[in-house]
Amino acid sequence: MDDLVIRSRRAVLPGGERPASVSVRDGRITAISPYPSGDAAAPAGGAAVVDLGDTALLPGLVDTHVHVNEPGRTEWEGFATATRAAASGGVTTLLDMPLNSLPPTVGPAALAAKRAAAEGACAVDAGFWGGAVPGNLPSLRPLHDLGVFGFKCFMSDSGVPEFPPLPPEELRAAFREVASFGGLVAVHAEDPASLAPPSGGGYGAFLASRPPAAERLAVERAVRLAEETGVRAHILHVSADACLDVLEKARADGLPVTAETCPHYLTLTDEDADGPAYKCCPPIRDAANREALWQGLASGVLSCVVTDHSPCTPELKRGDFATAWGGVSSLQLGLPVVWTAARARGHPLHSVVRWMSEAPAALAGVPGKGAIAVGNDADLVAFDADETFTVRAADLHHRHPVTPYEGRTLTGVVRATWLRGAPAGAAPAGRLLTPDPRSTQDPCSTQDPR
C-alpha cells in the first residue's frame, strides 16, 4: 500500500519532462505511472494524493558545495539554519565542506565532531567532505573509510589559517594517495604565484588581483596530476572561461576530470558588484565570460551547478573588497536564480535539474538521490516555474540576511519540498549520509546537450 501519490503534468524525469504520478511508500519511490484523468484521478488504496496540476515536480536538488561552518563558527552559519534554507530552496541533500568549521574536517576526530554537531539538527540530508592539508596524508584513507564523499584541497590561500594550501609535492602525494583507494579530489584551483593583494578597495582592483590566468594555470596543474596519478579530480567553482578549453581537452583525452560552476558566475557580472555581498573567490567576471560559462554547461564541459554557499557574520561582510570576507550566500535561492537565467537563454527545466540534482549526485555517489526514479528516496519539489518573486533578504532562512540578489525579481517559486515523502523544513528529519561507491559515475555521462 502506497502512502502518498504526487501528480504533476510537468514531472521532470530522467528522460525529460512529462505528465506523471509518483507513488511513495516508506519514503521511497515505488512507481511512476501516467498522469490520470477522469475517474482514474480518484485516490486508490487509501494513499494521500497531492495533485500539482501544472506546477512542476522536480527531484530534490543535491548541493555538493556548502559551507555550514559548524562546529566552531556557528555564528557564521549552522546545520539548523543552513538546512532550513536548503529545504525552502528545494535542496534535499547537501554536502558540507571541510572548512570553515573549527576543527576543519581533516582527521577522524574532527569528522566525529562534525557529525555530532549535525546529528538531530538537519532539516535535509547531509554528508561531509574531508580535507587534504599539509601533514594529514595519513588521515586520508581513514576519513575515506569513515564515509567522507571526497577531499577538498587548495592550491592557494584558503582564507582561514587552519586550512592551508597544499604545496606542489604534497598536492601530488595527496592525489596519489586518494587514487589508491578510488576516492575523489575536489580542487580550489587558483595559482598562488598569479595572485596579488588588491591595489585598492574597489571591485576593479579585487578583480585584477585574481586574473583568469590564475585559474587556468591551476586547472592545467590539476589535469596533469590527474593524468599522472589516475585520481578522479573535480574542479570547484569555475569562474573563468579561460579554463574551458583545458577542461574540454581533458575530457576528450579520457581523463577523470570534471568541473562545476555556481549561480553567481552564471548570473552576475563585474558591473553588478556594488558592495561586498558580491565578493567571492574566484571572482565574478564580465558578461562575455558569463555567457561562455553557459556554453560550457550546454556542451557538458561543466557538469554541475552548485551554490558554494559561504556565509559569515554581517560584520565580516562590511568594509571594502580588499578586506571583506569572500563568499556568496545563496543556498535558498540557487534554483530560481539559475532557472531565471537558463530560461532566458532557452534552456529547458530538465537541463537545470540535470545540472543541480542528477549530475552532483552522480559525481559524489550520493545514494538514492538526484532523480525521480523507482527505488530512489522520495525527495521531491513542487516548483512553480512561471511565478515570479522579489528577493528580500529578510525572507531567507540562512543565519544572516546577506545576499547579492536583494531586490532582484526571479522566476520560479518553490511551493513545497518533500524529504523521503514527508514535508521538509519544519522539523530536523534529515539523515547523515555516506557515499555509495556503486552509484558514483561520470556526471558528464548524464549530459544530453540540447
Side-chain angles (χ1 to χ4, degrees), residues 66-67 69 76 100 307-312 317 325-330:
V66 179
H67 294 269
N69 305 329
W76 293 19
N100 303 303
T307 62
D308 190 9
H309 177 72
S310 186
C312 64
K317 267 298 188 185
W325 174 260
V328 171
S329 298
S330 61

Side-chain angles (χ1 to χ4, degrees), residues 66-87 94-97 101 105 110-129 331 397-399 425 427-428 431-432:
V66 179
H67 294 269
V68 176
N69 305 329
E70 188 177 7
R73 289 194 175 99
T74 313
E75 70 275 14
W76 293 19
E77 185 70 281
F79 285 102
T81 50
T83 58
R84 280 200 302 270
L94 62 82
L95 298 190
D96 171 62
M97 281 294 172
S101 56
T105 316
L111 177 61
K114 177 75 74 171
R115 283 184 166 145
E119 188 70 49
C122 296
V124 302
D125 288 351
F128 308 101
W129 289 90
L331 184 56
H397 293 289
H398 60 258
R399 187 172 296 278
R431 296 175 181 171
L432 305 187

Side-chain angles (χ1 to χ4, degrees), residues 187-447:
V187 185
H188 181 119
E190 288 183 288
D191 174 55
S194 303
L195 305 178
S199 60
Y203 192 76
F206 171 67
L207 183 60
S209 75
R210 307 186 88 96
E215 275 192 82
R216 182 185 175 97
L217 287 169
V219 170
E220 288 174 338
R221 186 176 305 137
V223 168
R224 288 195 300 270
L225 287 174
E227 183 174 23
E228 176 186 325
T229 64
V231 79
R232 288 195 302 131
H234 182 67
I235 308 301
L236 298 166
H237 45 48
V238 172
S239 81
D241 64 351
C243 301
L244 296 178
D245 63 328
V246 179
L247 293 166
E248 185 173 21
K249 184 177 186 304
R251 302 296 301 170
D253 291 344
L255 299 179
V257 177
T258 53
E260 69 187 34
T261 192
C262 303
H264 38 281
Y265 301 129
L266 293 169
T267 59
L268 305 175
T269 72
D270 55 345
E271 295 184 356
D272 297 314
D274 59 2
Y278 292 84
K279 181 180 178 180
C280 55
C281 300
I284 296 162
R285 304 189 190 276
D286 63 28
N289 181 92
R290 178 189 63 189
E291 297 312 309
L293 294 180
W294 278 103
Q295 294 171 16
L297 267 178
S299 70
V301 173
L302 302 173
S303 57
C304 306
V305 179
V306 292
T307 62
D308 190 9
H309 177 72
S310 186
C312 64
T313 61
E315 291 75 20
L316 290 174
K317 267 298 188 185
R318 294 179 184 140
D320 59 25
F321 284 99
T323 59
W325 174 260
V328 171
S329 298
S330 61
L331 184 56
Q332 187 171 334
L333 297 172
L335 176 57
V337 165
V338 174
W339 170 235
T340 300
R343 181 162 126 155
R345 291 163 176 79
H347 296 286
L349 188 56
H350 66 78
S351 291
V352 173
V353 167
R354 190 163 56 250
W355 299 328
M356 301 188 77
S357 188
E358 186 176 353
L363 167 77
V366 185
K369 309 292 187 180
I372 299 176
V374 172
N376 274 5
D377 288 347
D379 296 351
L380 301 165
V381 179
F383 184 61
D384 192 335
D386 300 315
E387 185 66 27
T388 62
F389 72 102
T390 300
V391 177
R392 301 297 180 205
D395 296 332
L396 302 179
H397 293 289
H398 60 258
R399 187 172 296 278
H400 300 292
V402 177
T403 175
Y405 301 105
E406 171 74 27
R408 289 177 178 264
T409 298
L410 301 178
T411 300
V413 174
V414 173
R415 298 296 187 191
T417 303
W418 293 269
L419 180 68
R420 286 183 295 279
R431 296 175 181 171
L432 305 187
L433 305 177
T434 56
D436 179 0
R438 296 168 299 175
S439 66
T440 303
Q441 59 180 282
D442 180 352
C444 290
S445 68
T446 71
Q447 298 285 344

Side-chain angles (χ1 to χ4, degrees), residues 28-165:
R28 292 188 179 272
I29 297 171
T30 58
I32 300 170
S33 53
Y35 186 91
S37 60
D39 293 340
V49 175
V50 177
D51 195 322
L52 300 178
D54 292 326
T55 297
L57 181 64
L58 317 182
L61 303 191
V62 178
D63 193 337
T64 54
H65 196 151
V66 179
H67 294 269
V68 176
N69 305 329
E70 188 177 7
R73 289 194 175 99
T74 313
E75 70 275 14
W76 293 19
E77 185 70 281
F79 285 102
T81 50
T83 58
R84 280 200 302 270
S88 294
V91 176
T92 53
T93 302
L94 62 82
L95 298 190
D96 171 62
M97 281 294 172
L99 73 164
N100 303 303
S101 56
L102 292 170
T105 316
V106 295
L111 177 61
K114 177 75 74 171
R115 283 184 166 145
E119 188 70 49
C122 296
V124 302
D125 288 351
F128 308 101
W129 289 90
V133 297
N136 85 322
L137 191 69
S139 294
L140 300 185
R141 185 180 289 269
L143 281 168
H144 172 77
D145 293 343
L146 288 167
V148 300
F149 282 81
F151 298 89
K152 181 175 185 177
C153 62
F154 279 75
M155 293 184 180
S156 56
D157 179 42
S158 72
V160 290
E162 68 275 2
F163 203 98

